[in-house]
Amino acid sequence: MSKKGTKNYSFDLTPREEGDKKKRSAIEESRIAKAVEYHLKKTLKDKNLSIDEPGLIDPQTVEVEAAKKIAEETNPQLFERAAKRVRVREQRKITSPDGTVVETITEIEETRSHTKLNVETLSKVISRITESFDKVTELATNIYGLAVRVGNYFGLSKTDAATGNDSSAGDPAIGHPGSAGGGSIDSQTQE
Amino acid sequence: MAYAQPYFRNLSTLPSLARAAFAARCGRRVLPIFQDVSIYQSDLDSLHSVMKVLEFAERVSSSGVDQGDAVVSVLAAAQIFNTGTEEVRASVAAAKAIVAAGHTARIAQLIPGIKAEISSGKKNPVALSDVDHTLFTTAQDAAALSIRAAIMHNPDSSQLIEQAILFDVELLKLLARTENWTDTTLVPPECFGPLWPDSEPDNWPVTYDESPDDLGTPKIHIEFTLPAELDENEASRVISSLLRRASDLHLAFGGNGLVITDSHSYEPELIEEPVGGAR
């Protein structure tokens, strides 16, 4: 049973191996990755770019998302929360001739009807998304500027570093959501 | 102690937990120097005490408060430090940097309470400026002592450690400004990135406190949701921008950029509710 209203995206990112500018210990590599993950997730959370945003996204959809997470992560707390938003419509037991229950089929339904996002709500969501990504852009741009100021020791060209130039829109190197990955995120700053 | 480094002045502009995070970071950077000597001398009690102080300082900056600050006073009062070879004195300076970080954390967690007492009229506002100044000087001590430890250990590390500290201060200033940080904004160690943005000094001791299990190929997993009604091209644009920026951040922190190793999209599905334990 799928529910319209939202679409989830999942990405695994790993450091590129080629073109090592500096030899680093595994601990330092790990610290870099953790920093990137921290700032990305913080940005998403700060800007409420998540399904758990009451008032922006239909609560029903929130619970559908929570249920999905249960299936993936077996998270008891999320399960408990999700369970409050669905009810059993019908339960049938399939029994063997000797009376043993071999299967229980449970049909559930939502406790409230799905409400599609109206235009106003959708525009708020899009506005928040845009703001969120602007924030990431700003942070990256500023760190790039910082790199230039403290000696350009990240090996970036000054033009790229100073502008934090985004030429990624429509970048064919980026794996399109929905497809298996493997795409390179960055095809220009390494040049 | 005279501080020539101009970037120390900027510490006074940072919120309290950011200063605590900065001091802990300075201590973390030189911890391997102390570890190396104390393990060689089989002085594991001192090592554990110093590491407890550092972990306390990092917990305070990550969570705002922590009850484990008693060890800071005990360690500061104890005469566990000794003199000896340059190597030993470097390790003493490293331990002192970590203790200074512990003091910074202890003071930082007091600030919100003092502010509350001032606003309710129970305390004179002067009290805050005194505490604030102490917070500034302890954070400054942590930085200066870490520089001293690094230079004693390896005189050639002077530029590298000053660059690393400068990077930390500038990054904190930037984040505090752009994200409107306050004294209660949490600043975990992950906020900073690599300890050595340029490269680690030559002959730097190995760090022992990281679990080898954690050191596989780093992988960043992000998952987020967009409304299905969002135009597919627009969704692709913002996602591309996000991933591109993730790679940019990785480069800016000194990495090589990121590649996508797996991706998928899906519409959330409703799962059935288990009833009465039946399977």
Side-chain angles (χ1 to χ4, degrees):
Chain A
M1 243 183 308
S2 72
K3 200 75 179 164
K4 277 194 176 294
T6 63
K7 199 163 188 179
N8 289 5
Y9 296 90
S10 164
F11 293 92
D12 286 339
L13 311 170
T14 54
R16 66 166 74 230
E17 291 178 2
E18 74 273 23
D20 257 338
K21 293 193 297 288
K22 298 185 192 315
K23 189 69 183 168
R24 291 179 187 280
S25 68
I27 293 173
E28 286 288 80
E29 285 290 350
S30 164
R31 285 194 175 108
I32 295 173
K34 281 179 181 172
V36 172
E37 186 172 32
Y38 166 82
H39 285 291
L40 279 176
K41 289 187 173 173
K42 185 171 186 299
T43 301
L44 294 175
K45 189 178 169 193
D46 285 353
K47 293 299 171 187
N48 296 316
L49 186 64
S50 81
I51 194 72
D52 291 318
E53 172 62 7
L56 277 184
I57 297 171
D58 173 42
Q60 179 57 55
T61 316
V62 174
E63 298 314 319
V64 172
E65 166 62 9
K68 172 66 185 170
K69 284 186 176 175
I70 298 162
E72 289 190 342
E73 301 170 8
T74 321
N75 183 323
Q77 286 179 322
L78 279 175
F79 172 77
E80 188 181 336
R81 203 181 63 174
K84 290 178 184 169
R85 298 295 178 87
V86 293
R87 67 178 170 225
V88 178
R89 185 171 58 200
E90 185 181 0
Q91 188 175 32
R92 284 175 285 129
K93 292 180 179 177
I94 299 173
T95 54
S96 63
D98 64 0
T100 309
V101 177
V102 294
E103 189 179 356
T104 301
I105 298 174
T106 305
E107 288 186 16
I108 59 173
E109 63 181 3
E110 300 91 359
T111 54
R112 59 182 88 174
S113 60
H114 176 66
T115 308
K116 285 190 75 172
L117 290 169
N118 61 32
V119 174
E120 188 185 354
T121 307
L122 182 60
S123 74
K124 279 182 189 169
V125 173
I126 293 172
S127 165
R128 289 212 174 203
I129 290 167
T130 308
E131 199 184 332
S132 173
F133 286 103
D134 283 351
K135 190 75 179 177
V136 177
T137 304
E138 183 185 351
L139 183 60
T141 304
N142 284 332
I143 290 179
Y144 268 43
L146 174 64
V148 173
R149 285 207 304 280
V150 297
N152 195 25
Y153 52 70
F154 293 139
L156 301 167
S157 76
K158 288 200 174 185
T159 309
D160 276 348
T163 60
N165 223 2
D166 179 14
S167 50
S168 66
D171 188 343
I174 297 174
H176 190 279
S179 63
S184 166
I185 295 171
D186 183 281
S187 61
Q188 306 207 11
T189 53
Q190 291 292 306
E191 290 171 7
Chain B
M1 195 178 287
Y3 301 107
Q5 288 82 357
Y7 46 79
F8 283 157
R9 285 198 300 273
N10 291 322
L11 289 176
S12 62
T13 65
L14 295 175
S16 53
L17 289 183
R19 285 187 237 180
F22 167 78
R25 171 99 166 150
C26 291
R28 172 67 66 183
R29 190 173 285 117
V30 292
L31 173 67
I33 298 175
F34 184 74
Q35 279 181 323
D36 210 32
V37 171
S38 50
I39 288 173
Y40 179 75
Q41 293 180 341
S42 300
D43 185 7
L44 297 184
D45 286 346
S46 297
L47 176 58
H48 288 153
S49 300
V50 166
M51 286 186 70
K52 270 187 183 174
V53 172
L54 182 57
E55 286 161 6
F56 159 75
E58 290 178 340
R59 279 198 304 274
V60 168
S61 57
S62 301
S63 60
V65 290
D66 192 88
Q67 301 302 316
D69 59 346
V71 70
V72 181
S73 310
V74 172
L75 193 60
Q79 297 299 312
I80 63 163
F81 307 134
N82 50 31
T83 56
T85 63
E86 191 75 348
E87 197 177 12
V88 172
R89 284 190 283 138
S91 81
V92 169
K96 286 182 174 176
I98 291 168
V99 172
H103 279 307
T104 311
R106 289 180 75 198
I107 299 162
Q109 64 180 348
L110 298 176
I111 297 270
I114 292 171
K115 283 188 172 175
E117 287 184 327
I118 289 171
S119 40
S120 65
K122 290 180 184 168
K123 234 175 193 145
N124 189 315
V126 177
L128 183 61
S129 65
D130 289 346
V131 174
D132 191 69
H133 182 70
T134 310
L135 186 64
F136 167 65
T137 54
T138 52
Q140 193 173 237
D141 283 348
L145 286 162
S146 72
I147 292 174
R148 179 186 292 178
I151 293 174
M152 280 178 170
H153 180 79
N154 175 0
D156 294 337
S157 66
S158 165
Q159 191 181 354
L160 289 174
I161 193 164
E162 291 199 21
Q163 280 178 336
I165 289 174
L166 175 60
F167 184 88
D168 289 345
V169 174
E170 290 294 314
L171 182 64
L172 288 173
K173 270 174 55 188
L174 169 71
L175 291 170
R177 179 170 51 81
T178 57
E179 297 181 359
N180 300 316
W181 284 6
T182 67
D183 284 328
T184 54
T185 302
L186 307 179
V187 188
E190 296 79 41
C191 174
F192 290 100
L195 284 172
W196 300 98
D198 194 3
S199 66
E200 202 171 76
D202 291 338
N203 303 318
W204 199 252
V206 174
T207 304
Y208 294 99
D209 60 317
E210 305 273 355
S211 163
D213 294 342
D214 295 334
L215 300 181
T217 304
K219 186 171 82 172
I220 300 168
H221 178 78
I222 55 169
E223 196 161 340
F224 51 93
T225 307
L226 300 179
E229 290 85 349
L230 195 63
D231 173 73
E232 188 72 19
N233 290 333
E234 179 69 6
S236 290
R237 190 189 71 75
V238 291
I239 291 168
S240 297
S241 175
L242 172 70
L243 299 182
R244 165 77 177 212
R245 292 305 166 190
S247 186
D248 285 351
L249 271 174
H250 198 269
L251 283 163
F253 275 122
N256 290 326
L258 299 168
V259 293
I260 302 168
T261 48
D262 189 24
S263 70
H264 64 276
S265 65
Y266 56 89
E267 289 188 7
E269 291 178 358
L270 197 60
I271 65 163
E272 294 186 348
E273 180 190 24
V275 176
R279 302 183 75 85

